[in-house]
Amino acid sequence: MKNEILGIHHITAIASDAKKNYNFYTGILGLRLIKKTVNFDDPHTYHFYYGDEKGSPGSILTFFPWEGIQAGRRGTKQVTEIGYSVPAGSLEFWQERFDQHNIIYNKPSVKFGERYLTFLDPDGLKFEMTEAKKTDTRPQWQTSEVDKLNAVHGFHHITITTNKMEDTAAVLTQIFGFKMTESEVNRFRFVTDAVEYAAIVDLVEAPGEAIGHVAGGSVHHVAFRVEDEESLMYFREKIVDFGLNITEKIDRNYFYSLYFREPGGVLFELATDNPGFTVDETLEELGTNLKLPVQYESIREEIEGILPNLN
Ligand code: ZN
C-alpha cells in the first residue's frame, strides 16, 4: 500500500443551502453525516462530511454550504460528475424514490457494459449511480428508508471534462499509477489496480466545451487517497519533480493534505487515511456534534449563533 495512490479519498462540492443539502444527502440518498464542522478558512460556514458508517475513504462526499451562493456551470477544468456504486437491480428503487421526491433524473442507460442512472442534487450537482459489473462488497450505511438492497456502497468513479486530455492523463498515469483501460466515444477510463473500489477516473474530451464556473452545485476539488504522511510526502516530491506547484502539508484534523492544480485545471488534493473521523467523536456519535478546530473553540458561541439550524 505504501507510496501508492489508493483511488479516491473524498470529493468536496459547493451547496447553496445547508438545510436542504443535509436533508437531501441524509434523507433521500440515505448517507450518514459523519462529521459536522466548519470551513477551516471560513468558520461561519459549515463543512459537512457524508459517507458510510465510518467515513471510509472512497465514500466521503463533503460540502461547503455557502448560503445563497449563485449557481455554477458545468464545463471544462472541472469534475463534472460524481459516480456512486449501487447494488445490481437497485436503479428501479432509486427512480421511484426520485419520482416521489421530485428529483431530476434521466432514464437508466449503459456505458462500459454497466447500467447507470444520472440525477441532480438540489443545487444541480450531477451524479450517476452505477450497477457495477463486479459485485461491490463495501458495507453500506442503511436507514429506515434505504436498506442494503439499494444503499450506495461508496464511489464508483469521477468524471473530469477537458478540451484536451493529455496533460491530465499524464498526471494520472505518470504520477498516480493509473492506466487507461477502455474508451467509449470521447470518454476515456483510467483505473488504478492499487485498490478495488473508488479506483476510476473518466476523462471526457470535449474540444468545443467552455470552461466551467465553480460555484453552487459544482465540485470544488477531488482528493486522492494515500496511506499515511510518509506516502503523502513521497508524492509531494514526485509532483514537484514533475514541475507542478503544490502546497505544504496541511493538517485537516481528520486527515493530512496537500493541494495542487493539475495542468488540466482541476484542483487535486492528496489526503491520508490517518487519523480518520473517530479522532474527536466515537463511531456511534459521528456527525452528531458540531466539531470545531481548536483555533475556533473560543468563538464557538458566535459560530453556533450564525450557522443555520438543520432541524
Ligand atoms: Zn478536501
Side-chain angles (χ1 to χ4, degrees), residues 73-144:
R73 194 173 49 76
R74 271 191 294 283
T76 61
K77 299 177 186 287
Q78 270 186 0
V79 172
T80 46
E81 287 158 7
I82 298 170
Y84 273 120
S85 164
V86 292
S90 64
L91 294 188
E92 282 63 33
F93 165 87
W94 286 109
Q95 285 182 81
E96 208 170 292
R97 188 160 177 80
F98 292 162
D99 273 332
Q100 276 166 12
H101 295 277
N102 298 312
I103 307 302
I104 297 168
Y105 69 91
N106 286 334
K107 282 208 185 86
S109 188
V110 174
K111 67 171 174 263
F112 299 122
E114 296 176 323
R115 222 161 64 104
Y116 71 95
L117 175 68
T118 303
F119 66 98
L120 302 179
D121 92 343
D123 283 300
L125 185 62
K126 190 177 173 196
F127 285 87
E128 288 179 3
M129 286 186 173
T130 299
E131 297 180 353
K133 273 182 272 192
K134 185 178 74 179
T135 304
D136 196 327
T137 58
R138 287 177 288 177
Q140 302 142 290
W141 177 250
Q142 298 180 65
T143 68
S144 58

Side-chain angles (χ1 to χ4, degrees), residues 17-221:
D17 185 315
K19 191 171 186 314
K20 258 194 202 164
N21 181 268
Y22 172 78
N23 289 339
F24 181 78
Y25 287 96
T26 60
I28 294 177
L29 286 196
L31 304 180
R32 184 176 194 194
L33 180 70
I34 49 164
K35 196 63 68 182
K36 184 168 59 175
T37 180
V38 292
N39 183 331
F40 288 9
D41 304 314
D42 173 13
H44 297 125
T45 302
Y46 277 122
H47 192 182
F48 294 149
Y49 289 77
Y50 303 105
D52 65 8
E53 183 187 17
K54 297 184 284 194
S56 306
S59 80
I60 309 160
L61 178 64
T62 101
F63 282 92
F64 297 131
W66 276 304
E67 298 299 308
I69 189 173
Q70 62 170 97
R73 194 173 49 76
R74 271 191 294 283
T76 61
K77 299 177 186 287
Q78 270 186 0
V79 172
T80 46
E81 287 158 7
I82 298 170
Y84 273 120
S85 164
V86 292
S90 64
L91 294 188
E92 282 63 33
F93 165 87
W94 286 109
Q95 285 182 81
E96 208 170 292
R97 188 160 177 80
F98 292 162
D99 273 332
Q100 276 166 12
H101 295 277
N102 298 312
I103 307 302
I104 297 168
Y105 69 91
N106 286 334
K107 282 208 185 86
S109 188
V110 174
K111 67 171 174 263
F112 299 122
E114 296 176 323
R115 222 161 64 104
Y116 71 95
L117 175 68
T118 303
F119 66 98
L120 302 179
D121 92 343
D123 283 300
L125 185 62
K126 190 177 173 196
F127 285 87
E128 288 179 3
M129 286 186 173
T130 299
E131 297 180 353
K133 273 182 272 192
K134 185 178 74 179
T135 304
D136 196 327
T137 58
R138 287 177 288 177
Q140 302 142 290
W141 177 250
Q142 298 180 65
T143 68
S144 58
E145 294 183 16
V146 186
D147 66 16
K148 70 175 180 195
L149 292 175
N150 303 301
V152 306
H153 288 282
F155 298 128
H156 178 270
H157 71 279
I158 56 160
T159 299
I160 291 172
T161 301
T162 174
N163 290 140
K164 216 163 133 276
M165 73 171 186
E166 64 185 39
D167 290 345
T168 307
V171 169
L172 293 175
T173 56
Q174 293 171 41
I175 305 179
F176 287 6
F178 282 58
K179 292 188 188 78
M180 201 189 96
T181 56
E182 50 192 335
S183 66
E184 220 176 272
V185 198
N186 62 340
R187 177 179 291 266
F188 299 84
R189 179 149 284 188
F190 292 77
V191 181
T192 177
D193 53 19
V195 283
E196 273 192 276
Y197 304 110
I200 300 171
V201 176
D202 281 354
L203 299 185
V204 165
E205 202 171 50
E209 182 78 42
I211 297 178
H213 174 58
V214 174
S218 313
V219 172
H220 185 268
H221 64 268

Side-chain angles (χ1 to χ4, degrees), residues 10 12 221 223 255 259 269:
H10 68 269
T12 294
H221 64 268
F255 43 85
Y259 297 84
E269 179 181 358

